[in-house]
Structure formats: structure tokens, C-alpha cells
Amino acid sequence: MTKTILRALAGETQAVPPIWMMRQAGRYLPEYRATREQAGDFLSLCYNPELAAEVTLQPIRRYGFDAAILFADILLLPQALGLDLWFVKGEGPRLSTVTSAEDFRALKPVHAIDDTLSPVYETVKILSRELPSETTLIGFAGAPWTVATYMIAGRGTPDQGPAHALKDGNREVFEQLLGKITEGTIEYLSRQIDAGAEAVKIFDSWAGSLKGEDFDRYVVEPARIITEALKRRHPGVPVIAFPRQAGEKYVGFHGATGADCVAVDDSVSAAWVAEHVQPAGCVQGNLASSHMVTGGEDLVRETRAIVEALRGGPHIFNLGHGITPDADPENVALMIETVRSMG
Ligand code: CP3
């Protein structure tokens, strides 16, 4: 196996960790902004296979990352299930909501998602033809809890209040919704794999707002069900789980879900991850994305410290969360150069 990302996901410790970056195709790149302009808007870009493949390739050409992540969004699945979706400039996503049994019943059946999502599979097909042979193609979806927080609130929320309110106020509808998203996610990721995705990542950006038993039921359990179903259908295709801000709950996450890799955010130290999480398998992370804005000595020192701390086991270098639009593209180059000079 020559692809370094797949080797890390298979549990191999490498002298230099392979590297990619969350939101590597995005607004910090002038070439991304130009292509989005050409597409018209963000959603048109997501559903235009030629242009979505183009923006996926841009950071690979510019930096030579070891993985490309499909250009799409976690909110395309709710749209495919029948919700309205639009983006308000400078604010973020808006959706029609699911807060009652009636709203839930109005959702489309899971098998209907491909009617909406087939352009995404087409993007994957183009990418699997066009990517350099050493670059791994990663597909992705949102985790059920995180996707549900947007479907229930109709927008991003600082504390996921509306989703907690439905969970505590109408657990039956809440659990039906999570179950449906779980099924839809299995279908969506499975089709990405059929089209050529070589690994998949499940983004649970709001995992940290669930505690105790709720975390086990609504973060761990859906991740386990999705991973198990994918492994049955596509043996050998690795799964990366990202239960962001899970804290202590990162410990044991590989074992509880069957994920091949657990991605960690930067609220935990790399030394702690090396001691408590990495013994169970590959880890991915976890440079604070603010270094992509500030750069300099601090960036170099922190990058080295993370590589050093995690070099005893399988590691994929990444940020702790997505790169932000105000990042300097030069700092991304400095991060990659720093990682690759450590062999
Ligand atoms: O990582 C990549 O480069 C691949 C593409 C990707 C996007 N979104 C493109 C995008 C991925 C993997 C995502 C995941 C995603 N989308 C998550 C989970 C990861 C995370 O960041 O926590 C979430 C919560 C979303 C939902 C979403 N999409 C929000 C809240 C927003 C608005 C905030 C923002 O950054 O503007 C988006 C828009 C979005 N998704 C953009 C991109 C490049 C910016 C849209 C634009 O170009 O204007």
C-alpha cells in the first residue's frame, strides 16, 4: 500500500505523519473564491460535479496534501430528505425544521436521497480519476446528532438548545429523527464509497454538548451503527470518527464504535492523546486553526510538538477544527513544510 493516509489508517506508525486539513478547500484560498463566483453560490458549487471536483483539487495542486476531502456539505443530506436549505451571506445555513411527529412524517424516504445527491457521487467519480496516485480520497457526512441539531433548529446554534429541548421534550420524535439520519448516512456514505471514496469521515461537530448517557446513546451508538453497516458492505474501507470536544469521552471511542481513526480537536493536548487515545488506534489532529491566522514561531513550535508527541503510533496530522476564512495561505505552507522536515 503506497498511500500514506491509508497506511496510517491501517495502524502503521510512520516517520513523518501524512497530512491534510479540515476545510482545506475554502474561502482562505483565492482560487476557491473565484470558482465559487463562477458557480454562482456555495450550494450551486456543491451540486456542480466539475466545479466541486475543481475546488477539491485546488489545495492538492497548491500544497500536495496527502488526502483530498470531497467538496460538499453535511447539510446536503437534510436537503435530500426534503428540507429547504439556503445560506445567508455572512451568517451561515438556514433550513426548514423538524420539531414534531408531523414534520418527521413529511420527510422523504431514505431511498429518495440519491435523487438529490447523485451529483455528489459524480464529483467523487471525477476525483477518483483525476487525483494523483499517492493522494487518498476521503468522503464524509455529518454524524446524526450534529445533522439533527441543524434540522431541529433550522440554523447553527451556540448551545444546540433546540435539539436538547426536543430530546428532553419529545424523545420519541428525536430518536426517530436520529434513526432516519443514521440510515440516510449509511446510504450516502456507501454510495460515496461505490463512486470511489477510499475512506470516510463522520463529522460530529457538536458531540461535546452531549454528556454522560446521552453521549453514549446519541454520539457513540450512531457512530457504531454506521461504522458496522459500512464495514459489512465495504470491508476494508476505513472510517474516521470526529466527536469534536468529546474530552474524556475520546478514551475508548475506537473500541466502542469500531472506527479505524479518531480525530481529536485542540481542546485536548497531544501528549494526553498519545497516552490515552492513540494506544487504541490511529489518531488525527490537532493543531489549533488559529495558527493558520497568526503563523510564525508559535506555529512551528506547536506543529513540532504535536508531531513529537504522537510519533510513537499511527498519526495523521490535521488541524483541531476547520481552517477559517481569515487564514493566510502562506501559514498552511509553513505547517506542511514543518511537518515534512521532521523525518
Ligand atoms: O473540509 C472540506 O474542505 C470539505 C468540505 C466541507 C465543507 N463543510 C464545505 C463548506 C466539509 C467537510 C464541511 C463540513 C461541515 N459543514 C460541518 C462539520 C465540520 C465543522 O466544520 O464543524 C458543518 C457543521 C457544516 C455546516 C456548515 N457549512 C456551516 C455551519 C457553514 C457556514 C459556516 C461557514 O464556514 O461559512 C457551512 C458552509 C461551508 N461548508 C463552507 C464551506 C467551504 C463555506 C461556504 C462558502 O464558501 O461561503
Side-chain angles (χ1 to χ4, degrees), residues 86-280:
W86 68 104
F87 281 80
V88 179
K89 243 196 162 64
E91 291 188 34
R94 295 289 183 276
L95 304 89
S96 50
T97 58
V98 179
T99 57
S100 66
E102 197 186 343
D103 295 338
F104 177 76
R105 277 195 302 273
L107 292 172
K108 290 184 187 167
V110 164
H111 67 78
I113 66 172
D114 296 341
D115 298 346
T116 303
L117 297 172
S118 55
V120 176
Y121 313 142
E122 192 52 40
T123 306
V124 175
K125 282 187 196 153
I126 296 172
L127 287 166
S128 59
R129 281 199 305 271
E130 295 196 358
L131 276 169
S133 60
E134 66 274 17
T135 314
T136 300
L137 177 56
I138 302 176
F140 75 94
W145 160 249
T146 286
V147 172
T149 65
Y150 290 93
M151 293 177 77
I152 295 163
R155 58 189 298 162
T157 44
D159 57 358
Q160 297 73 58
H164 283 281
L166 186 68
K167 166 173 66 68
D168 299 331
N170 193 342
R171 205 167 278 259
E172 195 184 337
V173 168
F174 175 78
E175 291 193 346
Q176 282 174 335
L177 179 60
L178 246 68
K180 181 149 192 162
I181 302 167
T182 302
E183 275 179 53
T185 303
I186 292 166
E187 180 63 23
Y188 184 36
L189 290 175
S190 191
R191 298 294 235 113
Q192 292 181 30
I193 295 168
D194 288 338
E198 299 169 284
V200 293
K201 179 168 174 184
I202 305 166
F203 284 86
D204 214 343
S205 306
W206 301 116
S209 85
L210 289 173
K211 305 294 176 203
E213 217 173 275
D214 278 352
F215 184 95
D216 299 336
R217 281 157 98 175
Y218 306 129
V219 174
V220 175
E221 185 61 7
R224 188 192 67 73
I225 292 170
I226 294 165
T227 304
E228 194 180 275
L230 290 176
K231 299 236 170 231
R232 211 166 32 235
R233 291 200 211 176
H234 311 275
V237 175
V239 174
I240 306 169
F242 181 38
R244 191 170 75 91
Q245 303 249 306
E248 290 284 335
K249 293 281 197 178
Y250 280 127
V251 182
F253 206 84
H254 290 91
T257 60
D260 302 272
C261 176
V262 174
V264 294
D265 69 276
D266 53 277
S267 68
V268 289
S269 79
W272 181 85
V273 172
E275 189 179 343
H276 299 283
V277 188
Q278 199 180 30

Side-chain angles (χ1 to χ4, degrees), residues 25-41:
R27 287 165 296 180
Y28 73 105
L29 288 179
E31 59 269 37
Y32 168 81
R33 294 195 298 267
T35 310
R36 191 186 59 181
E37 193 75 16
Q38 197 187 334
D41 57 35

